Structures are given as structure tokens and as C-alpha cells.
Amino acid sequence: MDATPFLDLKPAAQVLFDSAATRLDQPRYLVQRHGAWQPVTWRAHACAVREVACGLQALGVQPGERGAVFAPNRVAWMEAALGLGTARAVMVPVYASNTADQLAYVVGHADAVVLFVDTLALVAKLRAAWPAIAHTVRHVVVLDDDVAAVAQPAGDELAPHVCSMTALRGLGAVWDADHP
């Protein structure tokens, strides 16, 4: 077997888009919805990643800036990570098991400008860490819409920085249409 084709390294996002171009409507993975496993196509997955990347650009995230992902493994985690790479930002993983102090240390030392977060427990850790990272984090993207609603109480100092993944993707779709 000739291993030469495997030596041509590409960014993960490039591999995704190259693969999606040839597999458009084939299932990329299955997700459980309403008690049944449903396929998500390569086209849909690539579209989600592109919308995340364009949403980040619309928010002003620049190539080389860092974005942290503080969430358990799930499809939206992958979309956030690949969206950051597509936007040419640097993805900083933060273990979902980390404490608030560890979150503050990783995000603060990385100078992350955007933070993806999921679950109420992780939002609670983010709130505890916020005083230490508010100077660097400009945007907080909550992967779950229901959690995003809870993370934005009126008058809360974190609230102006928070949007849901759905809102980010919507912003990205608009930005993409305006920047062909």
C-alpha cells in the first residue's frame, strides 16, 4: 500500500469540506431525536460548520485568535471546533470535568476571545470563572438553546456576551449570504 496520500496533511475542516463534496447526501453520523436515530448528512454537517465559522467572522473573531470549547462530547462540540478552524481561529479544548478555576486558567492563559459552553453545570462554572476571564472573552456561545435562555438573565454581567449556537449559526448564514 502506498502511504504517500496520507502524508499530505490538511486542516481538519478542509478534510470535512473535501469529504462533504463527494458524499453530500450520505449520512455523516446518526443523532438521537424523539427516541429514534436520525441521519445527519455530510451536506448538513458541512453547512453547520460553515455557519459557525461565518458567525464567528460576523462577531469579529480574527484568524489566529483563540476560541475555547468547554462542553462534553457531542455533535455541537465538533461543529464548534471545526467552525473555529474554518474561521482560522485556534481551538482551545477545555475538559468538561474542569473546575471553574481550571477553566479560568486555561481560557485566561489562552486569551480566548470566544467560549463555547454547554450544560447548566458548565454555565455555573463559567459564572464562577467570569471575573477572571471577562477581560478576554468577548462572546459566549451556548450550545443548547434552553441552556442559553437560562444563561441570559436580565441585569447579569454575563448576559450581553451570550448567544445560542442557533443564533450564531443564523448570524453566520446571513453573513455568508452577504460575503459570497
Side-chain angles (χ1 to χ4, degrees), residues 100-124:
D101 287 342
Q102 291 167 327
L103 170 65
Y105 179 85
V106 172
V107 171
H109 281 77
D111 290 325
V113 299
V114 62
L115 173 63
F116 290 86
V117 65
D118 194 25
T119 79
L120 290 172
L122 297 183
V123 169

Side-chain angles (χ1 to χ4, degrees), residues 11-21 28 42 45-46 49 82 86:
Q14 184 64 53
V15 173
L16 166 69
F17 291 114
D18 289 350
S19 297
R28 167 69 173 101
W42 282 87
H45 181 57
V49 169
L82 291 170
T86 301

